[in-house]
Amino acid sequence: MIEVKQAKTFSELSGCLAGNPVEHPDHYAGDGKIECMDAMRSMMSGDTYALPAIAAHWWAESFKYIWRWRRKGGVQDLRKCRQCIDYLIAEIEGEQ
């Protein structure tokens, strides 16, 4: 069974961020109500969206970069997102 972590409140995140940048880094904290991995889990759940593993990987990577771009990598993260989306499109269209 996969452990599901619940989104933390902003005050809970503030306490975690200072002491644990690995588990709850600021660039994935969002508005403090939902973290990137919780939004991604919701987005990618369900049989309706079943994809080959590599396509799911590129989808998740693109989401990660678009989520964090303002707090971490700026335009570089947007370029990484675009590259991941291009890889995803190629997988979906069968070009790889």
Side-chain angles (χ1 to χ4, degrees):
M1 180 184 222
I2 297 173
E3 177 185 349
V4 177
K5 293 186 177 184
Q6 299 299 317
K8 300 191 180 297
T9 66
F10 184 72
S11 60
E12 289 172 324
L13 281 173
S14 298
C16 291
L17 291 174
N20 195 341
V22 171
E23 204 170 312
H24 299 287
D26 181 52
H27 53 274
Y28 290 129
D31 62 0
K33 295 178 184 175
I34 187 165
E35 290 187 55
C36 182
M37 69 179 194
D38 295 319
M40 191 180 304
R41 183 179 291 112
S42 177
M43 172 185 77
M44 298 181 80
S45 294
D47 294 333
T48 305
Y49 302 109
L51 293 171
I54 192 65
H57 167 76
W58 293 125
W59 184 21
E61 286 292 299
S62 64
F63 185 81
K64 172 186 76 172
Y65 287 122
I66 199 73
W67 182 278
R68 74 181 199 187
W69 78 273
R70 293 182 304 153
R71 292 182 171 209
K72 188 173 184 193
V75 172
Q76 182 179 7
D77 273 0
L78 292 175
R79 288 187 179 111
K80 289 177 181 180
C81 177
R82 180 174 56 198
Q83 183 180 38
C84 291
I85 290 171
D86 287 341
Y87 291 157
L88 173 59
I89 290 168
E91 288 295 329
I92 299 295
E93 292 179 342
E95 294 177 8
Q96 294 291 324

